[in-house]
Amino acid sequence: MSDDVRVVKNDSEQRYEAWVGDERAGFVDVDERDGVTVALHTETEPHFAGQGIGTALVGGMLEAVRERGDRIVSHCSFVTAYLERHADEFGDLRADG
């Protein structure tokens, strides 16, 4: 399933969204300022649970953070766990240690 996930930045809602076809499957609320993206909260729609949507979403968000040259701070347990599991790939993005 996660190969079918499209991650897009929704500036007006201050979030990154995961889309499967024409349906929003999940999102990460963020606060972006001064070169730092703060991940606040991640949600996946219940009928998409367990399909890798959250993993694809957070990975896509972190790739976008890297492309902008920003750093990441997580106040979201899901994003924090992802960063810990993928420290070799994304640990350099952490602004909070």
Side-chain angles (χ1 to χ4, degrees):
M1 167 61 81
S2 63
D3 291 341
D4 300 327
V5 178
R6 194 173 78 256
V7 177
V8 298
K9 186 176 180 205
N10 181 335
D11 288 319
S12 65
E13 296 289 329
Q14 295 186 326
R15 62 175 43 162
Y16 286 84
E17 298 175 340
W19 288 82
V20 176
D22 61 354
E23 186 173 4
R24 191 187 75 202
F27 61 87
V28 179
D29 287 326
V30 297
D31 182 15
E32 298 176 324
R33 62 177 77 151
D34 302 323
V36 176
T37 298
V38 180
L40 302 169
H41 176 72
T42 303
E43 258 185 58
T44 301
E45 297 301 329
H47 59 283
F48 284 108
Q51 298 179 38
I53 301 297
T55 298
L57 172 58
V58 172
M61 175 196 66
L62 292 171
E63 288 294 342
V65 167
R66 173 169 280 136
E67 286 176 18
R68 282 195 317 279
D70 282 2
R71 304 289 300 270
I72 187 82
V73 172
S74 179
H75 293 283
C76 169
S77 60
F78 188 85
V79 173
T80 298
Y82 185 97
L83 285 164
E84 289 170 0
R85 283 192 316 274
H86 296 90
D88 289 347
E89 186 177 359
F90 294 111
D92 61 312
L93 297 180
R94 292 192 76 160
D96 58 353

